[in-house]
Amino acid sequence: MEYSEIMVRYGELSTKGKNRREFIRQLGQNIRNVLKPFPAVVVKAQRDRLHVVLNGQAAQPVMDALQQMFGIETFSPVVKLPKDADLSEIQRTAEAMIKEQYQPVQTFKISTRRQNKNYPLNTYGVDDGVGSYILKVIDGIQVQMKKPDINLQIDVRLSGIYLSSITIPGALGLPVGTGGRATMMLSGGIDSPVAAYLAMKRGVKVDMIHFFSPPYTSQQALAKAKDLAAKLAAFGGTIDFIQVPFTKVQEEVKKRVPEGYLMTIQRRMMLRLAAAITLDRHCNGVFTGESLGQVASQTLESMRAINDVTSLPVLRPLLSLDKTEIIKIAREIDTYDLSIMPFEDCCTIFTPPAPKTKPDLDKTREFEKLIDVDGLMQEALAGIEVTKINVGDDYLNAEEDVFAELL
Amino acid sequence: MIYFDNSATTKVDPAVLKTYEQVSENYWGNPSSLHRFGEEADQLLIQSRRQIASQLGVQPAEILFTSGGTEGDNWVIKGTAMAKRQFGRHLITTQVEHDAVKHSMQRLEELGFEVTYLPVDEEGRVQPADLKAALRPDTILVSVMAVNNEVGTIEPLAEIAKILQDHPKVHFHVDAVQGIGKGIHDLIFNDRVDFVTFSGHKFHAPRGIGFIYARTGKKLTPLLDGGGQERGQRSGTENLPAIAAMAKAVRLLKQNESHAVALEQQLRLSLREYLQQFDKVHIFSGTGDHFAPHILCFAIEGVKGETIVHAFEEDGIYLSTTSACSSKKGLTSSTLSAMGIAPEIARGAVRISLSDQNTMAEGERFKQVFATRYEQFKTLS
């Protein structure tokens, strides 16, 4: 079946009142962004629906991309006929469409809507004409009005006659970019990509902050974090990946701070740096992959001691999720296999054998005076590198082309 | 020279050899090492495995690298015996298997396992009914080759698979060393097959490398314990240059398969038709679609196989007695005797085995030489 367009129905947008136009504009822009690999495709973001006109492009890869876009409630592949197409043309198209998904013995119904009042047949005329034709040409098919297996919708509009029989659920959420802008502390583990995904689901555009500690952590660990960002770009387009050199901070903390408070102060330095970057980039919050009680740094007491360094919102979408729930989402968004690759990251080096699970805030502040906070901050911020990462980018397997030649 | 001994080994393809050299030069790190250099080697290993799997339409995790066909056969047979010994000690194979299978089975017999060796018909084919009759509640393995290395018979794997559908716990192994790239992919990778053995040097890859297909979920005890390579299934530092080269050879083989099969078949049938005219020639490889395209086995009555091989060698044509592995032991072919061929005729058996690098012109040259040699042989007998 050659479809002429994909019709996209908006999600929560319809309840957003005055901001509606902004949501539609942003969704249109996001969709254009991910559909760049298909130059023939034209995206028309209209008030009630968004139309992805295929112009000969195969529907499936386009639908695969749309499936991951936040802000879409459902979408349907559609065949468009001329506005004056006669009944026999509608019948033939309907037949082809139904046959593509029909399995014996299923039920169907025809739902016609007519905006074009000049069309010679009325709603009932189209329903009846197409329905009786289908009953005649497809053996065994039965009509059922309530919950049919196949619901063929025929939209008789001024611009044309639209037929669709499949409705595919979208990713819901809000279009990325409509929820403001934030930073995200992306480690390379299982949790933070999932947290980033959930932030994006609420429409937030996230810039990824990644701390790395050469030579203690490897180039592969950095490449892995970038690959994770590339996976996440599927949900909202290009991602700014900000790598922050963290070696000096870690060495200093390790050298000067009592072992029990090493982790807490290290984390405070990370959050301080993240906060500075957040403000510098005019973002309004920091997302993290923390989940309550998972590790020593994620107890309420630890969070308080760490959070003490900034008044920015620190947002934790995974706070109440169990590890198994987080892993389930990680698998769904295809970050899991990457996340479990075994490279040390800066969270796992220099971990004391017994970090304080309930650090004391006053003591934390005291011990922190042992290091040159401002100097270390300045040095780290001066060493930042930013990379724009797109969906499909591959940093871990940058050699693949060379390999393809060899193999 | 005319090389008609491709079932013994093939010439390494120049493009494959180039991969071997480049990998040896640029990716000689140990894939198990953590550093960047090891990581690159590991990526190449992953890519090689992926490529072989996708060419064969299986999962990458189902491909395990070995040192070749002998190791593959030993591993599957002995590994099954070890893994499943508490379920039974009976194995089934055929009388016409390669020694790697046959001797593995004999070794297990010494250890108290029981083996049934199925007979074959006059064309070298196992009768599925015999297999059905041989199956017992304590049978743990059925091992049948895809293509006989001596006469080229294709065994009835589909029928065997069908019978084994009712015995899901029996491991089904196919030795496909002579069967890859010969247009019988679907026969080898049927729904029921659990393990398949392959060897690189039979398809223009280097020797000393091979792989097995092991269906997901089927248990095999490793033969080689050590550093835990190949997911703990086959330890030993991976032979990466050979693995990458073999991955390339598999790709070239698959790309070229239909063309190669057509060429080999045409050449084989033309030679066969020619040889048929001679009274003293006995041909053991048939014409039906259950004969592989590349093997032609025949004998000249009254002339020893070895004599024929050396005579043709003088004219720069390389044939083999029935199998390279047994030819120096002076034994008559066990396949031919299982097919009921009289020993005095089997004694004269030789094998032509082709590859896509042979040409029809080489066939014509062979015919000329054969005519002359035949006259000469007549005076011998």
Side-chain angles (χ1 to χ4, degrees):
Chain A
M1 183 101 242
E2 198 185 324
Y3 293 102
S4 41
E5 66 170 70
I6 314 292
M7 186 177 67
V8 176
R9 300 174 193 88
Y10 301 131
E12 249 180 83
L13 262 70
S14 46
T15 62
K16 293 291 172 189
K18 278 186 198 160
N19 291 325
R20 192 184 167 86
R21 270 199 15 213
E22 165 57 16
F23 283 103
I24 293 169
R25 190 198 59 76
Q26 184 71 52
L27 180 63
Q29 193 179 314
N30 292 353
I31 290 179
R32 280 184 202 102
N33 190 352
V34 298
L35 295 183
K36 263 186 200 149
F38 313 109
V41 168
V42 174
V43 176
K44 292 184 198 161
Q46 293 168 355
R47 224 191 106 67
D48 49 346
R49 299 278 163 82
L50 182 145
H51 301 266
V52 180
V53 183
L54 293 169
N55 291 323
Q57 162 66 43
Q60 197 54 52
V62 172
M63 294 201 286
D64 290 344
L66 291 175
Q67 190 94 64
Q68 303 194 300
M69 304 289 300
F70 289 123
I72 294 177
E73 182 159 19
T74 60
F75 59 90
S76 298
V78 170
V79 174
K80 180 188 178 185
L81 300 175
K83 66 172 190 232
D84 53 357
D86 63 12
L87 184 62
S88 68
E89 205 173 338
I90 302 177
Q91 287 171 334
R92 280 197 305 276
T93 310
E95 180 190 355
M97 223 166 193
I98 289 179
K99 276 188 172 160
E100 192 151 281
Q101 59 183 130
Y102 177 69
Q103 289 164 348
V105 171
Q106 286 188 326
T107 57
F108 83 111
K109 86 182 237 195
I110 309 287
S111 328
T112 305
R113 284 194 301 180
R114 193 177 61 138
Q115 178 200 43
N116 177 7
K117 302 296 177 196
N118 294 324
Y119 192 71
L121 288 169
N122 63 13
T123 306
Y124 176 76
V126 178
D127 274 349
D128 188 50
V130 177
S132 54
Y133 177 81
I134 295 296
L135 281 170
K136 202 167 62 191
V137 293
I138 300 181
D139 272 348
I141 197 163
Q142 285 165 12
V143 177
Q144 183 167 311
M145 285 301 133
K146 277 186 184 170
K147 296 195 178 166
D149 298 310
I150 301 167
N151 183 5
L152 184 84
Q153 295 179 301
I154 303 173
D155 231 347
V156 182
R157 298 186 145 237
L158 292 167
S159 54
I161 300 173
Y162 297 85
L163 282 80
S164 67
S165 62
I166 308 169
T167 300
I168 300 162
L172 304 174
L174 299 167
V176 172
T178 58
R181 210 175 160 127
T183 56
M184 165 84 221
M185 292 165 75
L186 185 81
S187 68
I190 296 167
D191 299 348
S192 50
V194 174
Y197 164 80
L198 293 176
M200 292 162 94
K201 186 170 181 188
R202 295 318 296 164
V204 180
K205 172 117 185 101
V206 280
D207 297 345
M208 303 296 174
I209 298 175
H210 178 76
F211 295 95
F212 79 122
S213 295
Y216 305 110
T217 63
S218 64
Q219 288 300 309
Q220 289 110 286
L222 183 63
K224 169 178 143 180
K226 286 181 174 173
D227 278 0
L228 284 169
K231 290 269 183 202
L232 293 165
F235 304 102
T238 310
I239 285 176
D240 282 359
F241 183 93
I242 305 149
Q243 59 192 67
V244 186
F246 200 56
T247 315
K248 188 76 184 291
V249 175
Q250 286 192 299
E251 285 173 343
E252 281 292 300
V253 172
K254 169 98 170 114
K255 208 185 299 174
R256 305 194 191 282
V257 171
E259 200 173 77
Y261 282 81
L262 201 147
M263 178 273 298
T264 309
I265 290 174
Q266 205 170 280
R267 297 269 167 181
R268 280 166 66 96
M269 288 301 288
M270 282 183 181
L271 186 56
R272 247 195 211 101
L273 285 162
I277 294 165
T278 304
L279 291 173
D280 185 52
R281 297 178 75 86
H282 306 289
C283 292
N284 287 307
V286 184
F287 279 85
T288 80
E290 288 166 304
S291 161
L292 197 54
Q294 210 183 88
V295 291
S297 65
Q298 296 174 17
T299 62
L300 261 185
E301 291 83 354
S302 274
M303 282 186 197
R304 181 178 172 217
I306 295 164
N307 221 143
D308 176 51
V309 301
T310 179
S311 60
L312 277 171
V314 177
L315 301 154
R316 302 172 173 93
L318 307 184
L319 197 74
S320 305
L321 295 192
D322 291 344
K323 196 74 184 183
T324 49
E325 295 172 292
I326 298 171
I327 287 172
K328 186 165 171 273
I329 302 175
R331 287 190 196 276
E332 280 166 17
I333 63 173
D334 195 28
T335 54
Y336 183 76
D337 289 339
L338 253 179
S339 288
I340 60 171
M341 289 183 75
F343 306 121
E344 293 274 351
D345 63 36
C346 68
C347 306
T348 51
I349 56 164
F350 298 137
T351 40
K356 283 251 184 285
T357 54
K358 295 179 179 179
D360 179 87
L361 183 56
D362 293 330
K363 279 191 193 163
T364 305
R365 287 175 177 162
E366 272 314 302
F367 289 137
E368 203 173 63
K369 289 181 182 152
L370 298 170
I371 60 169
D372 172 17
V373 172
D374 292 342
L376 288 168
M377 288 271 296
Q378 267 175 23
E379 200 179 323
L381 290 171
I384 280 177
E385 270 179 54
V386 182
T387 316
K388 295 234 179 259
I389 293 183
N390 290 298
V391 64
D393 284 357
D394 192 351
Y395 290 88
L396 269 174
N397 301 318
E399 301 277 339
E400 230 163 71
D401 290 346
V402 183
F403 291 166
E405 295 256 307
L406 280 172
L407 300 176
Chain B
M1 93 160 181
I2 295 175
Y3 184 75
F4 277 169
D5 195 15
N6 288 284
S7 285
T9 195
T10 54
K11 188 179 180 203
V12 180
D13 185 290
V16 170
L17 192 59
K18 199 168 161 207
T19 294
Y20 187 95
E21 283 172 10
Q22 288 177 340
V23 175
S24 305
E25 216 166 283
N26 302 322
Y27 299 95
W28 49 271
N30 187 326
S32 299
S33 296
L34 267 178
H35 49 67
R36 180 76 217 170
F37 198 39
E39 174 63 21
E40 270 176 13
D42 193 38
Q43 287 300 328
L44 181 54
L45 181 66
I46 290 169
Q47 281 301 112
S48 302
R49 195 188 309 273
R50 246 187 234 163
Q51 175 159 311
I52 292 173
S54 80
Q55 291 291 334
L56 299 180
V58 302
Q59 293 305 310
E62 295 176 320
I63 300 295
L64 296 164
F65 296 116
T66 65
S67 61
T70 296
E71 185 189 326
D73 287 338
N74 270 265
W75 183 11
V76 173
I77 293 164
K78 295 173 183 171
T80 293
M82 295 267 277
K84 293 181 77 82
R85 63 188 186 280
Q86 68 270 41
F87 300 108
R89 299 183 148 247
H90 179 236
L91 304 90
I92 300 174
T93 187
T94 79
Q95 292 178 358
V96 295
E97 297 298 312
H98 188 272
D99 281 347
V101 169
K102 204 180 290 172
H103 292 166
S104 293
M105 293 286 182
Q106 287 164 1
R107 188 74 68 196
L108 289 175
E109 283 180 299
E110 288 169 19
L111 296 172
F113 287 84
E114 209 182 312
V115 182
T116 301
Y117 299 89
L118 299 173
V120 294
D121 64 13
E122 65 280 1
E123 289 191 321
R125 267 166 79 88
V126 168
Q127 299 305 304
D130 290 343
L131 171 84
K132 198 170 181 177
L135 280 162
R136 311 195 314 215
D138 63 337
T139 306
I140 52 172
L141 173 73
V142 169
S143 177
V144 178
M145 67 198 335
V147 170
N148 181 272
N149 54 314
E150 300 184 34
V151 296
T153 311
I154 298 175
E155 296 298 336
L157 301 177
E159 287 94 321
I160 293 170
K162 210 170 160 202
I163 293 168
L164 291 178
Q165 292 291 6
D166 298 332
H167 300 81
K169 286 180 182 159
V170 174
H171 279 183
F172 180 20
H173 169 233
V174 173
D175 171 355
V177 167
Q178 291 293 342
I180 188 171
K182 302 302 175 191
I184 54 167
H185 178 91
D186 292 344
L187 190 64
I188 295 170
F189 286 91
N190 65 64
D191 288 347
R192 182 57 185 79
V193 73
D194 299 314
F195 299 98
V196 189
T197 308
F198 298 97
S199 178
H201 77 108
K202 306 290 190 186
F203 53 91
H204 308 296
R207 58 194 69 176
I209 192 69
F211 63 98
I212 65 167
Y213 159 81
R215 184 184 289 278
T216 305
K218 293 289 170 175
K219 223 180 132 197
L220 211 55
T221 300
L223 291 192
L224 302 182
D225 293 304
Q229 287 86 350
E230 299 293 289
R231 288 175 295 115
Q233 291 294 290
R234 200 271 186 188
S235 290
T237 299
E238 298 89 346
N239 186 356
L240 188 60
I243 287 170
M246 179 168 68
K248 179 152 195 171
V250 169
R251 179 167 67 76
L252 297 175
L253 180 77
K254 283 290 167 189
Q255 265 173 12
N256 190 33
E257 184 166 1
S258 57
H259 165 78
V261 168
L263 168 81
E264 290 165 19
Q265 189 69 279
Q266 193 189 357
L267 181 49
R268 184 178 82 96
L269 292 178
S270 142
L271 291 174
R272 191 178 184 283
E273 202 172 309
Y274 177 80
L275 291 172
Q276 260 177 330
Q277 318 164 37
F278 298 90
D279 298 340
K280 286 176 184 292
V281 171
H282 298 256
I283 300 177
F284 310 116
S285 308
T287 53
D289 57 8
H290 50 275
F291 281 93
H294 64 303
I295 295 177
L296 179 61
C297 183
F298 65 96
I300 304 173
E301 211 176 312
V303 187
K304 275 189 177 177
E306 193 183 326
T307 311
I308 302 173
V309 168
H310 291 311
F312 278 92
E313 191 181 345
E314 284 181 15
D315 295 296
I317 298 175
Y318 295 89
L319 322 173
S320 171
T321 50
T322 50
S323 92
C325 305
S326 57
S327 51
K328 289 202 173 160
K329 296 172 204 150
L331 304 167
T332 54
S333 151
S334 55
T335 299
L336 293 177
S337 75
M339 286 163 64
I341 310 291
E344 62 274 17
I345 294 176
R347 223 165 51 96
V350 287
R351 176 184 70 186
I352 290 176
S353 50
L354 308 169
S355 87
D356 59 331
Q357 293 180 356
N358 293 120
T359 61
M360 295 303 287
E362 289 177 341
E364 293 313 308
R365 168 78 185 137
F366 172 85
K367 289 174 192 172
Q368 283 171 8
V369 172
F370 188 88
T372 323
R373 289 291 177 187
Y374 187 76
E375 289 307 311
Q376 187 188 349
F377 290 146
K378 267 209 295 203
T379 62
L380 283 177
S381 55

